[in-house]
Amino acid sequence: MGAPHLKTLSELAAGLRAREFSSVELARMFLERIERAQGTLNAFISVTRAQALTDAALADRALAAGTGGALTGVPIAHKDLFCTRGVRTTCGSRMLDNFVAPYDATVVANLRRAGAVMLGKTNMDEFAMGSSNETSYYGPVRNPWNPALVPGGSSGGSAAAVAARLVPGATATDTGGSIRQPAALTGITGLKPTYGRVSRYGMVAFASSLDQGGVLAASAADAALMLREMAGFDPNDSTSVDTPVPDYVAELAQPLNGLRIGVLKEFFDTGLDRDNEQRVREALEVYTGLGAELREVSLPNLPLSVPAYYVVAPAECSSNLARYDGVRFGHRCEQPRDLQDLYRRSRGEGFGAEVKRRIMTGTYVLSAGYYDAYYLKAQRVRQLIAADFARAFESVDVLMGPTTPTPAFALGAKTADPITMYLNDIYTIGANLAGLPAVSIPCGFVAALPVGLQIVGPHFGEARILAAAHAFQRATDWHLRVPEGYA
Ligand code: GLN
């Protein structure tokens, strides 16, 4: 079979159609890689071997009959907050340790319809709250570039799995950076679509006005292929937008010549590691070499994005997580004395420390007397940030800057101080507050650790940012680097 784990999603799909290898062979090979890496990386919460092999056999039959879709027989993984019928969905929490959804999330159903074969559910920060994948009930995920370091979060399991080539692509979600930040820290491509582009139906809710499903893959071309199959209007999600899904793969060829790139001034502030900055500036030079034009752009309200987000997101989380009460589903404490005791102990036992911190903050900022001072104020700041972006897109086509202030950090380095942890999201949160699409691509290394370049586009500008990312990946080979031991 050669080394199919190093092939792109479209090469795998083509190889399957040409019968170079079967879907069952591919599933076996990737499952073996997953099992071999699990002890070191802990990237998966569930590995669905039996179902994967059954689905792969069905895919082989479809391929033989010539009836497959764009991804028929291609193995993928889902972040463990996408509901999967019959397979447990934990959201990285003890609260949902025993939860088996009776239905598939729309993203899961769409990828299944395209023929993809799920190999398992990936580890994540509890309820997607975190930037390092250390808040999971199932233990931390480790970075394949160096297992003493975090892979980023909250989609750290999906990111580590793709970076170590345990799967060629995986779903993920991004509320404040959880696709782009782990993509940067593990040297892969992560795409967060426009809010409303991908259905949230069946995605366990964290902060509903910010959550958006997306893709982690080895390259922009692979992300384009997965997005095309995942995206689309869904009547089950009232925030999903009814606008046609472009053929993102066909649009990758858009020429770069004359592309106006806005370089985000506020992203090159004092918090940015100097070596990281150097790699990002070198990436910008690659773009000028490809015919793009750079302009400095200022988004004056952007520095307020972290405080605004850490009011809005906990507020929405406190409301969304009120449903876990030990009555309807999820964890229930043993032998409750009365109803209050049932609520208190079920929630007390089911949620971890970070989730409790968010629920308490969120309840506080929504409470009478504090609502205007915190929640309403944060919503106003959010509008100002969105307006900054809208103004910037009047004069440039895309915005670029770093994805994170530093490369991957050590496990435990930031767990003692939540504010230090929250500051990891300083460059990613703006796109969520404004609902914009953004992609992170690898653009070099600092001390053998990958660094990410972030490209933000206007609403529904996925094709444009993917084409810009693809042009960079045709000119460079950072996205082809695989951590030692996983090549
Ligand atoms: N790190 C951010 C948080 O902890 C973002 C998480 C996410 O995007 N899901 O909320």
Side-chain angles (χ1 to χ4, degrees):
M1 253 202 300
H5 64 281
L6 297 178
K7 288 190 192 298
T8 67
L9 282 171
S10 43
E11 285 168 353
L12 288 174
L16 284 160
R17 274 193 294 273
R19 319 295 283 160
E20 279 169 35
F21 33 74
S22 72
S23 179
V24 169
E25 282 171 333
L26 276 189
R28 283 220 164 93
M29 186 271 300
F30 279 109
L31 283 164
E32 206 174 287
R33 291 179 68 81
I34 291 172
E35 278 149 23
R36 219 177 320 132
Q38 184 61 10
T40 320
L41 301 181
N42 196 26
F44 281 78
I45 291 174
S46 304
V47 180
T48 49
R49 171 176 264 278
Q51 182 184 314
L53 292 174
T54 307
D55 290 350
L58 287 173
D60 282 330
R61 249 182 274 160
L63 288 162
T67 57
L71 293 173
T72 294
V74 176
I76 59 159
H78 289 299
K79 184 176 183 178
D80 205 17
L81 62 51
F82 287 95
C83 287
T84 40
R85 188 177 31 174
V87 173
R88 125 187 130 125
T89 299
T90 70
C91 225
S93 182
R94 182 181 183 197
M95 184 55 93
L96 291 176
D97 185 43
N98 62 4
F99 175 61
V100 178
Y103 68 104
D104 278 333
T106 300
V107 159
V108 171
N110 287 352
L111 286 169
R112 191 191 293 282
R113 191 169 325 115
V117 172
M118 174 179 85
L119 302 188
K121 308 284 298 283
T122 57
N123 201 348
M124 55 180 283
D125 276 306
E126 185 176 11
F127 283 98
M129 297 172 199
S131 310
S132 63
N133 221 121
E134 291 169 288
T135 73
S136 171
Y137 174 60
Y138 304 92
V141 176
R142 290 169 182 275
N143 193 318
W145 292 94
N146 177 346
L149 308 182
V150 303
S154 66
S155 312
S158 286
V162 172
R165 304 303 195 259
L166 312 182
V167 277
T171 57
T173 61
D174 193 311
T175 304
S178 283
I179 292 178
R180 291 159 285 157
Q181 191 255 15
L185 270 41
T186 60
I188 60 170
T189 300
L191 174 74
K192 172 226 175 282
T194 307
Y195 183 78
R197 176 73 289 181
V198 168
S199 170
R200 290 185 299 110
Y201 181 70
M203 251 171 66
V204 178
F206 161 13
S208 308
S209 76
L210 300 158
D211 297 343
Q212 184 61 201
V215 189
L216 286 163
S219 67
D222 282 357
L225 175 56
M226 265 182 85
L227 180 68
R228 187 185 72 191
E229 304 305 317
M230 276 163 75
F233 175 60
D234 178 6
N236 286 329
D237 172 3
S238 60
T239 59
S240 129
V241 177
D242 192 0
T243 176
V245 179
D247 183 347
Y248 298 115
V249 178
E251 301 218 5
L252 287 171
Q254 279 181 32
L256 267 197
N257 226 343
L259 185 82
R260 296 165 305 166
I261 298 176
V263 181
L264 282 165
K265 177 168 175 288
E266 287 74 16
F267 279 23
F268 294 86
D269 59 16
T270 47
L272 177 61
D273 174 274
R274 288 300 140 219
D275 293 324
N276 243 39
E277 169 172 356
Q278 204 40 47
R279 295 296 92 78
V280 171
R281 296 218 184 264
E282 287 158 12
L284 294 172
E285 276 168 34
V286 172
Y287 276 102
T288 45
L290 291 169
E293 164 196 329
L294 303 184
R295 300 186 187 175
E296 191 178 77
V297 167
S298 171
L299 272 55
N301 294 294
L302 207 63
L304 299 173
S305 59
V306 173
Y309 172 88
Y310 279 97
V311 171
V312 173
E316 294 185 17
C317 122
S318 74
S319 162
N320 274 327
L321 272 58
R323 72 190 65 165
Y324 304 105
D325 55 8
V327 177
R328 287 163 289 189
F329 54 89
H331 174 74
R332 176 181 293 183
C333 68
E334 297 286 341
Q335 304 192 330
R337 279 191 314 278
D338 53 28
L339 189 62
Q340 282 301 327
D341 186 47
L342 168 76
Y343 289 157
R344 201 170 294 129
R345 280 201 290 129
S346 298
R347 288 169 70 76
E349 292 164 7
F351 291 135
E354 182 60 26
V355 173
K356 287 177 186 164
R357 182 179 297 123
R358 306 278 180 114
I359 293 174
M360 287 191 283
T361 315
T363 308
Y364 180 79
V365 300
L366 289 176
S367 57
Y370 295 105
Y371 183 91
D372 290 358
Y374 296 110
Y375 185 69
L376 210 60
K377 173 85 62 67
Q379 290 289 25
R380 292 213 176 102
V381 172
R382 181 175 185 178
Q383 289 312 316
L384 294 175
I385 291 169
D388 276 0
F389 275 109
R391 209 171 311 114
F393 284 120
E394 283 169 12
S395 59
V396 298
D397 301 309
V398 296
L399 293 165
M400 292 194 191
T403 308
T404 59
T406 64
F409 46 92
L411 266 95
K414 300 191 182 187
T415 40
D417 177 10
I419 305 283
T420 322
M421 189 66 91
Y422 298 167
L423 284 171
N424 279 299
D425 310 332
I426 191 152
Y427 305 138
T428 49
I429 280 174
N432 300 80
L433 291 172
L436 299 167
V439 62
S440 177
I441 54 174
C443 69
F445 287 80
V446 168
L449 294 174
V451 170
L453 170 76
Q454 186 177 198
I455 311 173
V456 184
H459 290 118
F460 296 97
E462 284 82 1
R464 188 182 292 174
I465 59 174
L466 284 167
H470 181 64
F472 183 83
Q473 292 180 338
R474 286 179 52 143
T476 60
D477 67 356
W478 305 116
H479 63 294
L480 301 176
R481 311 286 176 97
V482 178
E484 209 185 303
Y486 298 98

